[in-house]
Amino acid sequence: MCIFCKIVEGVIPNKTILENDEFLAFEDINPQANVHVIVIPKVHVESFAEVSSDTMKNMTPFIQEVTEKLSLETQGYRLITNIGKDGGQEVPHLHFHILGGQSLRGL
Ligand code: AMP
């Protein structure tokens, strides 16, 4: 079981920001900005390269809800997903990084 599946199962603790039946948003353990949140589907999907359009259809408003909850709407934020080896993906479970709470210009 991958590390993010273990988080979904509650085997590894997390600091949850928002959750529904399909998705979970939690604080990154090694934040790269003042706000650094990870958003995952609860079902195991390896990366963006494998995700279905149905999952993305529901994930999009979930991510937007997370950014609203974090009050990032006015100032903006960065949304990133790394894919595979060259993309620098370390955890093989689709996740979006939400980075913000500061200017990311030049980072
Ligand atoms: P990536 O390099 O795109 O695969 O990013 C994986 C991210 O997961 C990194 O930013 C890690 O800091 C984060 N991460 C790894 N383990 C945990 C954990 N147990 N709880 C929260 N974030 C984690």
Side-chain angles (χ1 to χ4, degrees):
M1 196 190 288
C2 85
I3 192 164
F4 287 173
C5 283
K6 286 182 183 164
I7 286 176
V8 171
E9 293 295 319
V11 178
I12 295 176
N14 76 92
K15 291 186 179 167
T16 300
I17 303 294
L18 192 68
E19 181 174 16
N20 67 16
D21 286 349
E22 274 187 285
F23 306 106
L24 176 66
F26 56 92
E27 290 180 12
D28 195 292
I29 203 167
N30 182 24
Q32 302 299 306
N34 288 341
V35 175
H36 188 171
V37 169
I38 298 287
V39 184
I40 62 170
K42 290 186 173 178
V43 61
H44 184 84
V45 177
E46 185 128 340
S47 79
F48 182 78
E50 281 84 30
V51 72
S52 71
S53 53
D54 268 358
T55 298
M56 282 311 304
K57 185 177 168 218
N58 297 337
M59 201 167 184
T60 299
F62 182 81
I63 292 170
Q64 290 167 341
E65 200 180 334
V66 173
T67 62
E68 279 163 28
K69 187 158 188 194
L70 295 167
S71 303
L72 297 175
E73 294 301 276
T74 314
Q75 290 298 108
Y77 54 91
R78 188 171 288 164
L79 185 65
I80 299 169
T81 187
N82 297 323
I83 300 145
K85 189 164 165 269
D86 280 2
Q89 184 179 4
E90 288 177 6
V91 178
H93 183 128
L94 170 66
H95 54 282
F96 285 86
H97 298 255
I98 299 171
L99 296 153
Q102 65 182 81
S103 174
L104 298 170
R105 201 170 286 180
L107 286 181

